Amino acid sequence: MIRTDRTAEAGSQEDERQLEEFCRNEVFDVLGNRRRRYVVYYLLSQDEPTACRDLAQQVAAWETGTDPEQIATSQYQSVYNSLYQTHLPELEDAG
C-alpha cells in the first residue's frame, strides 16, 4: 500500500492517541491502589532516598490513622511485605 503524506500523518496521530491511551491506562492502573498512592506521595515529599522500613512505617500510620511510632509490629510487617513484594516492584516497572 502506498501512503500519501496525509495518510502517514493520520497514522501517526492514531499511533500517538493509542500511546497516550496506553500511558493513561497504565497510570490509572498503577495509581488505582491507595497504598501505591501513599508511596508516591511520601517519596515526593522526601529530599533523599528512603529506607523501605521508614516508608512502610509511614504508610501503615496513614492506613491506621495513628502516629508512626504507635504502629503495631504486625501491621508494620504486613505493609512492609506488601511494599517490598508487590507495590514497589509495580511502581518500578511503571517507571
Side-chain angles (χ1 to χ4, degrees):
M1 170 187 229
I2 298 173
R3 298 178 89 175
T4 64
D5 289 341
R6 183 179 171 115
T7 306
E9 183 178 304
S12 295
Q13 289 174 352
E14 177 64 19
D15 291 345
E16 183 67 26
R17 186 192 63 74
Q18 288 177 350
L19 178 61
E20 287 177 19
E21 183 178 329
F22 169 77
C23 291
R24 186 172 36 247
N25 288 340
E26 185 175 3
V27 168
F28 287 142
D29 184 47
V30 169
L31 296 179
N33 180 280
R34 182 179 14 191
R35 193 167 277 178
R36 287 193 289 271
R37 289 192 305 270
Y38 283 151
V39 168
V40 171
Y41 178 77
Y42 182 77
L43 293 177
L44 288 174
S45 72
Q46 302 302 301
D47 293 330
E48 297 180 6
T50 301
C52 190
R53 66 179 176 277
D54 297 332
L55 177 61
Q57 188 172 18
Q58 183 59 61
V59 169
W62 284 331
E63 289 181 351
T64 59
T66 61
D67 291 328
E69 297 80 28
Q70 297 176 334
I71 297 301
T73 302
S74 62
Q75 180 65 27
Y76 164 80
Q77 281 295 327
S78 174
V79 172
Y80 181 92
N81 289 338
S82 74
L83 291 179
Y84 186 78
Q85 295 174 356
T86 303
H87 300 296
L88 293 177
E90 285 191 30
L91 287 167
E92 183 177 28
D93 288 346

